Amino acid sequence: LIQEKSSNFSITDAQQLSDSYDNGVYYTDSLMEELLQLLESRGLLNNTIIILTSDHGEELYEHKLFNHGSFYDTVIHVPLVIFHQNFDGQLRVKELTQSVDIFPTVISLLNMTPPTTLQGEIVIPLGNKKAYHNEFVYAIHREICTSGLRNGNT
């Protein structure tokens, strides 16, 4: 089920699947635009942090696989986009990050001191501090009972 291969799946089917996914992304983008306009019209945008991310990507038959049961970049490389007044709009984080890094980053954006027991790193540059650079990130897939490390090399 997770890494299902299909000999009956055509290039046209794959393109339709990809187009459907792209339409979902476009629709989500339009909803984000509406949200940002609403926040701005109510004077709340400058006091708001918005974070766009995902827990996984999708296999859309790029490697003759469906779903998200592999460790290809299409599955483990997910967006991290932060909207905050300090970034003059949005900041797209291009470094390797992990979900565990989001909370410490938000705490720092709020000018709060994170607890010493907090896991994760601040992954954006703040003031005169450089962003933490993860040399490796950890990925786990519980359904197929496997895990792996990824470095910045593609």
Side-chain angles (χ1 to χ4, degrees):
L1 175 68
I2 293 171
Q3 294 190 9
E4 185 176 333
K5 293 186 180 183
S6 173
S7 59
N8 299 329
F9 200 75
S10 71
I11 297 298
T12 302
D13 294 332
Q15 187 60 53
Q16 288 176 342
L17 182 64
S18 179
D19 290 347
S20 177
Y21 187 85
D22 290 346
N23 287 337
V25 171
Y26 178 77
Y27 178 65
T28 301
D29 185 59
S30 70
L31 293 176
M32 284 303 305
E33 183 178 5
E34 286 181 34
L35 174 63
L36 292 171
Q37 289 173 352
L38 178 67
L39 289 169
E40 187 170 37
S41 72
R42 294 190 177 176
L44 299 172
L45 189 58
N46 286 339
N47 296 321
T48 303
I49 299 170
I50 299 174
I51 298 173
L52 293 172
T53 191
S54 177
D55 61 337
H56 59 75
E58 291 294 330
E59 280 283 359
L60 299 175
Y61 211 62
E62 295 89 349
H63 303 98
K64 301 200 182 315
L65 301 170
F66 300 105
N67 211 326
H68 48 266
S70 74
F71 286 126
Y72 287 111
D73 242 24
T74 51
V75 174
I76 64 171
H77 185 168
V78 296
L80 177 56
V81 180
I82 302 172
F83 293 86
H84 185 269
Q85 64 183 355
N86 290 354
F87 305 134
D88 191 28
Q90 73 178 10
L91 173 70
R92 180 169 300 189
V93 179
K94 295 179 183 177
E95 297 289 331
L96 291 175
T97 63
Q98 302 180 100
S99 297
V100 71
D101 296 327
I102 294 172
F103 187 63
T105 300
V106 170
I107 291 290
S108 295
L109 283 172
L110 296 172
N111 294 319
M112 298 172 67
T113 304
T116 57
T117 57
L118 188 63
Q119 294 180 346
E121 301 293 340
I122 300 166
V123 294
I124 56 174
L126 290 172
N128 54 1
K129 291 183 181 178
K130 291 185 177 183
Y132 179 81
H133 173 73
N134 284 308
E135 192 172 335
F136 294 94
V137 293
Y138 180 71
I140 185 169
H141 197 295
R142 290 188 175 100
E143 292 176 29
I144 57 175
C145 300
T146 191
S147 61
L149 289 175
R150 181 188 188 282
N151 65 16
N153 301 327
T154 54

